[in-house]
Amino acid sequence: MSANQETAAPEETIRADVCVIGAGVVGLINAIALAKRGLSVVCVDQPTEKQLASYKVGESLLIYSNAFLRVLGELDDSLNKSFAKAGFWMAHGMEGKTEFDESVSEWGFESELPQHWIDKAENPLFPRVMFQDAQIVRPEIEAELRDLARKMDGLTFLDRGLVRDVELGDGDSDHLLTWSSRNKKEGGQISARWMVDCSGQARLLARRFGHDLPLDEEFSTTAAWAQFANCTDELFDERWTYHFPDGDTAQRDRNTLHLWGEDYWIWVIRLGGDRVSIGVTYHRGRPPEEGNAREVFWKILRRYPILDWLTEENVLEFSAYKDVQHCTDTFVSPRRYAMVGDASSIIDAYYSQGISLSMTTSWHVANIAQRDIQEGTLDTGYLDHVNRAVTADWRIMRSMVRSKYSTAIGDSRFFILDHLLDLTVFGAAMLGRFRSARWLVETGGRTAEENAEHVRLREGLSRRLYLSQSAPWHRLDPHTVAGLVEGWHRGLERRAKWRLENGEDLPPTKAGMRAYAALPGIWRLAYLNRLPKADLTLKAVKEPGFTSVRGTEYRPPVMAVSGSLVLALVTAGTLFDIADTNVRKLKKLGRILRNRNSRR
């Protein structure tokens, strides 16, 4: 029996460089990634049969999660067989509708690439890691990760117990974790230099050491979701097809689809095996319906005739979180422990950022822990930067969703510009996504396989692999960036609310984008009322040769400028929004003054 397959006898102490607490998708990836860096790892958990079979949530992979799972988790084949994610699609105004007609505002981004783009990559794995997102069935993927963990050299997969107590080590001594099985018949201790808490909602270390970050805002959400069986292609008929102006089409259902209403939104995520994940997340302080989470879930779904095929008898599993948002005040502690995944923070399911941000935070943790263990250097400067930047990322993501849980979502210009601001953040992150994908593909996540170029990539990413530290704002303090994004969202929301409250109705507007027509025609906002259709969608154009990506560059031009291009566009749209709203205010004031004079 190899060392990694040995099991611990009761009361035996296992020594490891790192102890990972929790064996969900985040915990397993952390354990595997750390072992691939040559560290000895223990991953401890004892999920119940119900937990192992749970469909959970977090099926949609976006930004970073796809790359880390494909390479570190060695899931390339499995993700290829999963339901392909064509992009993300948002709509407002679908209540009571049986189709996406002209009275519905829509914002969509089709991320699928033309084949000739894919063919330019020198390594065929690279475009899959970089671009080919998927929608996964969690229990199936986690089962594969558990199998990999059991076979990994240097990784002890202790799936027979839960951590019951933690005694923190000082600067020279290890942490001591005490574990026992659920029935208390087995137990032992783990001695480790580092701990990584991936215990999810249990939040073992955050609760134990008082790391909750107080949230002084009234904004909080409840989320309820279910997975449904028997959701075949026939249910997604022509009504789900979006027609671009150049004749191309997109299937809305093959994107991660979001349906917005006032104070709530619905996700529709198709999965393999004719399954679909449906979620409803709503403002906890202003629930759109009365009742418990399950009752609210069904009442909101019944507002949507286009989803009338969802029935109780096809429910595979239902679950809910009463209070979704939380955040720790520390992600990596100088006392040599870290908290990632739900153990550290949750924002909202919007944009599927939970696993994605967990993957990047875990990558930074691995860098810090590896250097400390193998070189004896605890890089406190890097550690402090991680804490500031990851907290700022959480603020940025929270501001994206917070602004939309209001009446402002009913204003079509807000709907377009607020989503464009979100796209600016994700567009800026494309260079980091490219460099991390390249590092992963070429090293397999093993620092022993690095050459000088890979070391350069990793050192650069250690500073910039965050939403708040992407170009063009990478030279600013992370919290300065977060504050600017929060203020931008608030301004868009404030002006939209004024328009709605004062009868300044704007036409429902559509903006469908593709990877090869990635920008909306924002300039059309100035004359939407004179267009046959209020549509910002542009025709595709033949891309210039310099935009091609081989996957071996250090700074591909299109990745380097993507954030700046979208930033310029949303800035122009916002300046128009400010000017137009002020003109409307002056006209309204003029009407009020004229009415007063006429009454004299």
Side-chain angles (χ1 to χ4, degrees):
M1 181 178 291
S2 64
N4 63 292
Q5 293 174 315
E6 290 177 359
T7 57
E11 306 308 323
E12 180 183 355
T13 297
I14 304 173
R15 170 64 180 81
D17 292 325
V18 186
C19 177
V20 175
I21 306 166
V25 64
V26 174
L28 289 164
I29 284 290
N30 271 269
I32 291 165
L34 290 162
K36 286 187 173 184
R37 290 181 179 230
L39 305 178
S40 59
V41 182
V42 174
C43 182
V44 56
D45 197 3
Q46 190 180 18
T48 63
E49 290 300 320
K50 182 179 179 180
Q51 289 171 329
L52 289 172
S54 174
Y55 291 98
K56 303 179 185 178
V57 73
E59 307 96 339
S60 175
L61 306 186
L62 190 65
I63 303 295
Y64 302 112
S65 47
N66 175 70
F68 285 94
L69 287 174
R70 280 187 188 270
V71 178
L72 295 181
E74 302 179 15
L75 292 167
D76 186 47
D77 288 342
S78 296
L79 296 191
N80 290 340
K81 297 171 185 175
S82 297
F83 196 95
K85 176 184 173 72
F88 50 89
W89 206 276
M90 291 76 170
H92 175 269
M94 281 297 294
E95 285 191 8
K97 303 286 178 59
T98 59
E99 59 183 339
F100 295 83
D101 59 25
E102 297 306 316
S103 66
V104 177
S105 289
E106 295 186 80
W107 170 272
F109 189 94
E110 285 272 301
S111 57
E112 288 187 314
L113 298 178
Q115 187 60 42
H116 69 274
W117 284 27
I118 296 172
D119 293 340
K120 292 175 182 177
E122 295 182 13
N123 184 335
L125 175 60
F126 178 81
R128 298 197 297 274
V129 171
M130 176 67 192
F131 299 113
Q132 194 171 313
D133 295 334
Q135 298 180 165
I136 61 172
V137 178
R138 282 281 294 275
E140 296 172 4
I141 292 299
E142 289 180 356
E144 290 194 46
L145 291 173
R146 285 193 297 273
D147 289 342
L148 177 61
R150 291 188 177 98
K151 296 183 292 186
M152 285 288 299
D153 289 333
L155 199 168
T156 300
F157 188 37
L158 182 60
D159 59 350
R160 299 180 289 108
L162 303 171
V163 174
R164 307 292 185 178
D165 191 27
V166 175
E167 182 181 332
L168 281 181
D170 57 28
D172 298 319
S173 62
D174 288 350
H175 307 304
L176 189 64
L177 299 90
T178 303
W179 67 272
S180 66
S181 59
R182 289 185 181 275
N183 60 14
K184 306 297 177 65
K185 293 182 179 180
E186 292 185 87
Q189 292 184 320
I190 300 165
S191 172
R193 182 69 168 165
W194 275 81
M195 296 182 294
V196 182
D197 185 3
C198 306
S199 61
Q201 289 287 308
R203 307 189 68 216
L204 180 69
L205 298 187
R207 298 181 194 278
R208 175 68 183 271
F209 301 122
H211 283 300
D212 270 322
L213 182 71
L215 303 181
D216 55 4
E217 298 181 43
E218 55 85 28
F219 175 61
S220 182
T221 56
T222 293
W225 67 90
Q227 281 212 14
F228 293 82
N230 304 316
C231 302
T232 60
D233 287 340
E234 288 72 23
L235 296 172
F236 301 96
D237 54 23
E238 174 60 27
R239 296 174 300 168
W240 295 82
T241 303
Y242 180 83
H243 295 270
F244 290 97
D246 50 18
D248 199 2
T249 62
Q251 288 299 122
R252 296 175 176 93
D253 58 287
R254 293 192 171 271
N255 292 263
T256 301
L257 176 66
H258 308 75
L259 302 174
W260 272 103
E262 186 173 328
D263 291 326
Y264 76 88
W265 66 279
I266 298 170
W267 75 70
V268 180
I269 300 175
R270 294 191 65 184
L271 305 169
D274 291 336
R275 289 167 289 195
V276 66
S277 171
I278 304 286
V280 174
T281 177
Y282 55 92
H283 198 303
R284 188 179 171 193
R286 302 191 296 269
E289 296 280 359
E290 294 184 354
N292 60 36
R294 189 164 194 144
E295 291 167 340
V296 172
F297 174 83
W298 280 108
K299 287 179 180 178
I300 291 178
L301 290 185
R302 293 288 76 93
R303 298 181 182 186
Y304 291 81
I306 200 166
L307 299 176
D308 60 8
W309 40 268
L310 295 170
T311 59
E312 280 276 10
E313 54 264 30
N314 285 327
V315 172
L316 296 168
E317 182 180 5
F318 177 87
S319 189
Y321 285 159
K322 182 180 180 182
D323 190 357
V324 172
Q325 272 117 31
H326 65 252
C327 188
T328 59
D329 61 7
T330 301
F331 288 83
V332 194
S333 169
R335 300 195 67 179
R336 296 182 171 85
Y337 62 85
M339 295 162 283
V340 295
D342 291 356
S344 62
S345 63
I346 298 180
I347 307 153
D348 191 273
Y350 202 56
Y351 289 123
S352 308
Q353 285 300 292
I355 296 177
S356 181
L357 294 182
S358 298
M359 296 293 103
T360 55
T361 304
S362 300
W363 187 83
H364 293 298
V365 170
N367 288 334
I368 294 169
Q370 179 183 10
R371 187 176 181 196
D372 178 48
I373 293 165
Q374 294 180 346
E375 301 178 21
T377 301
L378 181 60
D379 191 340
T380 55
Y382 186 6
L383 188 152
D384 290 341
H385 184 60
V386 171
N387 284 327
R388 289 186 62 77
V390 174
T391 305
D393 286 0
W394 184 86
R395 288 176 57 190
I396 288 170
M397 287 304 308
R398 191 168 188 242
S399 73
M400 288 183 183
V401 296
R402 182 186 182 278
S403 62
K404 298 178 182 67
Y405 279 94
S406 72
T407 54
I409 197 69
D411 178 89
S412 62
R413 188 188 298 162
F414 169 85
F415 187 81
I416 295 297
L417 290 178
D418 208 59
H419 281 109
L420 183 59
L421 179 55
D422 300 346
L423 184 65
T424 303
V425 174
F426 296 135
M430 288 302 289
L431 183 58
R433 177 170 172 166
F434 170 87
R435 287 176 173 170
S436 59
R438 183 185 163 193
W439 183 85
L440 287 164
V441 167
E442 294 178 10
T443 67
R446 302 179 189 273
T447 50
E449 301 296 323
E450 288 181 326
N451 59 29
E453 179 78 350
H454 300 137
V455 171
R456 181 188 179 200
L457 283 168
R458 186 155 62 96
E459 288 177 350
L461 288 167
S462 69
R463 174 68 191 173
R464 292 175 56 176
L465 190 61
Y466 314 89
L467 298 178
S468 56
Q469 293 291 271
S470 301
W473 45 75
H474 57 287
R475 299 187 188 280
L476 299 177
D477 178 81
H479 285 286
T480 299
V481 177
L484 290 170
V485 174
E486 289 170 338
W488 204 324
H489 281 295
R490 285 195 298 268
L492 292 170
E493 179 185 358
R494 183 174 61 251
R495 290 186 293 276
K497 284 184 173 180
W498 183 88
R499 288 192 293 271
L500 291 168
E501 291 166 0
N502 288 274
E504 301 286 338
D505 296 328
L506 302 175
T509 307
K510 298 184 186 296
M513 290 158 287
R514 292 157 286 184
Y516 46 95
L519 300 175
I522 286 298
W523 51 89
R524 294 179 180 174
L525 289 174
Y527 52 90
L528 274 181
N529 286 319
R530 298 196 296 273
L531 294 175
K533 293 195 303 183
D535 197 336
L536 308 183
T537 306
L538 300 180
K539 294 181 179 180
V541 295
K542 182 174 176 56
E543 72 279 1
F546 74 88
T547 62
S548 63
V549 177
R550 301 186 309 276
T552 55
E553 306 92 337
Y554 184 76
R555 186 182 286 107
V558 69
M559 305 293 178
V561 302
S562 58
S564 299
L565 285 175
V566 188
L567 179 62
L569 203 61
V570 72
T571 298
T574 302
L575 291 175
F576 168 76
D577 184 53
I578 293 170
D580 177 73
T581 305
N582 285 336
V583 168
R584 291 171 186 266
K585 288 180 178 180
L586 288 173
K587 288 182 177 179
K588 182 177 178 60
L589 178 61
R591 289 193 296 270
I592 293 172
L593 292 176
R594 286 194 297 272
N595 289 337
R596 285 179 181 176
N597 290 333
S598 66
R599 289 196 298 266
R600 288 178 180 174

